[in-house]
Amino acid sequence: MTGSTLRFSLLLAAAFAGRATALWPWPQYIQTSELRYTIFPHSFQFQYHLSSAAQVGCSVLDEAFQRYRDLLFGSAAFRFPHPIEKRHTSEKNSLVVLVVTPGCDQFPSLGSVENYTLTINDEQCLLLSETVWGALRGLETFSQLIWRSPEGTFYVNKTDIEDFPRFPHRGLLLDTSRHYLPLSSILDTLDVMAYNKFNVFHWHLVDDSSFPYESFTFPDLTKKGSYNPATHIYTAQDVKEVIEYARLRGIRVLAEFDTPGHTLSWGPGVPGLLTPCYSGSHPSGTFGPVNPALNNTYEFMSTFFLEISTVFPDFYLHLGGDEVDFTCWKSNPDIQAFMKKKGFGDDFKKLESFYIQTLLDIVSAYGKGYVVWQEVFDNKVKVRPDTIIQVWREEIPVKYVKEMALVTSAGFRALLSAPWYLNHITYGPDWKEIYLVEPLAFEGSPEQKALVIGGEACMWGEYVDSTNLVPRLWPRAGAVAERLWSNKMVSNLDFAFKRLAHFRCELLRRGVQAQPLSVGYCDMEFEQT
């Protein structure tokens, strides 16, 4: 689509920017009018087109139909069994869904197609998509198009939408180690991610603080590394439930098990895994990163990641690799001897590289791809060409814009997170800075920019648990969602504010405790239930 066509579609939509076009994130192309159709909840239904590859029995869409019916109408479908207003408009009694390609039982992937078209006119009310994943995105858009008059009647305006994501990886990271998040908090977050068209849940499961993942191969990891093995763990059933709940919303689960640093919680359950730190010639009684000098380390990692590869179905695993403190390694005489034997001199980046390369080879042998934090690239670890590098440092060693250029110039795919750490909070409307980030604002060729596959909003858990997770996330994370979904030209703050404020009110109506953007009110305020 040309720039002038897009600008025209924005102006046209803005002209009718009442409740019918307060969409978030904004579609690639939309044309709408004041012509409206009545929807009566008691008779409205979602239907499969006779030619659709997905039909009744497709769990992804069957459940989505019920979910959106409940979201849209709730008990209203039964409260008004008969029209309460005279019919001055024609009625739409169904949305017909036509999916071209079968695939109801699959998992979403990086290559999943999420395109859809939505056509609402006198002749039809049709959602057309290549895949069930695109149908899910279209259902969310349709749910935002429906509005309710003060008298209680539901309407949808005549609308044409052609939509697709700008980037294929649109993620949100939750940290469940610093503070344990109850299963219900994770599932609720997945719901709101779907409302925002996020499609990757980056699950930072474990860290120094705790090891809540219940390993069936090494149960002592959880028994000795979690805050409380009776209450603060994710069982195998919990993990399955998260993965399936996400799948039904078109969301991938990218599990992260960060090594060799950030592993203090692993130590109690696997004696000998961590490096003993020394004070002079004697052990200090403290431990550092994973010990890269022992064969036992790699035997453990091989067995552990075999389990992880079978539990998490996504092609990719996140293997971390960030913030490795060399102090403990430097103090340990066995590590020093290993360095000398390997010819590493006193360059501990070479030791880190040795460990990570060995781990990557292990994971690759299980048929998995991997994502790593930028230090793996910065420290010149030899990684496969298809490695994905996640850029998280804003200023060091270089500004993140420069880092994106360096990563892509080396031929690697990149994810951007550096400007989107939502755990960093300030007073006032910080969503604006988040929203105005342009992921491709670095010097580079078109080929380089094509290597940027998206980005992630990150919510680290040092000061976040289930008491403040939701209002800290929403609607701020929505600013990242639109930046990763919508056209680059959709960047006007006034236009965004009106829509995001409306969307925040819609989140309240859906039971999400999203914080306000500014002074104002919502027709339906949040009430604690």
Side-chain angles (χ1 to χ4, degrees), residues 75-366:
S75 58
F78 309 101
R79 199 181 309 142
F80 305 121
H82 301 290
I84 62 168
E85 295 178 28
K86 293 180 180 178
R87 298 192 184 198
H88 298 300
T89 60
S90 58
E91 178 185 352
K92 289 297 177 189
N93 58 19
S94 66
L95 174 68
V96 178
V97 178
L98 198 168
V99 176
V100 175
T101 306
C104 287
D105 300 322
Q106 298 171 358
F107 286 91
S109 68
L110 180 60
S112 291
V113 177
E114 298 174 282
N115 304 25
Y116 68 91
T117 61
L118 195 55
T119 308
I120 304 167
N121 57 30
D122 291 349
E123 287 76 41
Q124 59 186 343
C125 187
L126 177 69
L127 170 58
L128 172 65
S129 64
E130 180 67 31
T131 67
V132 292
W133 317 121
L136 287 175
R137 308 301 171 232
L139 285 169
E140 176 56 38
T141 299
F142 179 76
S143 77
Q144 294 184 31
L145 286 172
I146 293 178
W147 54 279
R148 195 174 187 182
S149 72
E151 296 77 19
T153 302
F154 292 92
Y155 294 103
V156 65
N157 286 47
K158 180 181 179 182
T159 307
D160 278 306
I161 289 175
E162 295 176 23
D163 203 11
F164 54 88
R166 182 183 176 197
F167 294 103
H169 184 122
R170 306 178 307 282
L172 174 64
L173 177 149
L174 291 186
D175 167 8
T176 60
S177 174
R178 272 71 174 221
H179 282 98
Y180 175 83
L181 292 174
L183 179 63
S184 59
S185 291
I186 295 174
L187 301 182
D188 289 347
T189 301
L190 290 168
D191 278 325
V192 193
M193 286 175 66
Y195 304 157
N196 286 267
K197 296 186 172 68
F198 278 113
N199 68 349
V200 179
F201 169 41
H202 178 164
W203 194 355
H204 187 85
L205 268 154
V206 302
D207 209 289
D208 283 333
S209 308
S210 73
F211 197 105
Y213 168 78
E214 185 177 52
S215 169
F216 58 81
T217 312
F218 298 99
D220 279 354
L221 278 169
T222 323
K223 288 177 183 175
K224 298 180 179 180
S226 64
Y227 286 132
N228 184 325
T231 57
H232 287 56
I233 65 169
Y234 302 107
T235 66
Q237 184 55 42
D238 292 338
V239 172
K240 281 183 182 177
E241 186 171 349
V242 168
I243 292 169
E244 180 62 8
Y245 201 90
R247 185 187 80 86
L248 291 171
R249 287 151 184 77
I251 296 171
R252 300 163 49 208
V253 177
L254 175 64
E256 180 183 357
F257 289 87
D258 190 359
T259 68
H262 291 276
T263 48
L264 290 182
S265 67
W266 302 46
V270 187
L273 179 66
L274 303 185
T275 305
C277 306
Y278 275 68
S279 177
S281 58
H282 300 287
S284 65
T286 60
F287 294 89
V290 165
N291 190 334
L294 301 179
N295 288 334
N296 287 350
T297 293
Y298 302 104
E299 290 171 6
F300 164 79
M301 291 296 174
S302 183
T303 306
F304 179 72
F305 277 100
L306 175 60
E307 172 187 331
I308 299 306
S309 298
T310 57
V311 169
F312 293 94
D314 198 82
F315 176 68
Y316 290 95
L317 291 174
H318 201 301
L319 299 178
D322 63 316
E323 296 183 311
V324 181
D325 185 348
F326 297 151
T327 308
C328 185
W329 282 351
K330 288 177 179 178
S331 75
N332 185 295
D334 295 331
I335 297 290
Q336 294 166 11
F338 183 78
M339 295 270 289
K340 186 175 182 180
K341 176 183 173 185
K342 288 290 185 181
F344 294 160
D346 58 0
D347 186 352
F348 283 85
K349 288 183 180 180
K350 289 183 178 178
L351 179 62
E352 178 189 19
S353 297
F354 173 81
Y355 168 81
I356 290 177
Q357 283 171 221
T358 309
L359 178 63
L360 298 185
D361 288 343
I362 289 169
V363 172
S364 298
Y366 296 139

Side-chain angles (χ1 to χ4, degrees), residues 320-322 324 326 344 347-358 360 370 372-384 387 389 397-398 402-403 406-407 409-410 412:
D322 63 316
V324 181
F326 297 151
F344 294 160
D347 186 352
F348 283 85
K349 288 183 180 180
K350 289 183 178 178
L351 179 62
E352 178 189 19
S353 297
F354 173 81
Y355 168 81
I356 290 177
Q357 283 171 221
T358 309
L360 298 185
Y370 41 77
V372 292
W373 296 109
Q374 71 177 74
E375 285 94 327
V376 175
F377 171 79
D378 295 340
N379 294 342
K380 297 180 172 54
V381 178
K382 291 177 183 174
V383 295
R384 290 191 325 200
T387 301
I389 310 294
V398 294
K402 175 65 173 174
E403 182 78 9
L406 292 171
V407 169
S409 67
F412 294 111

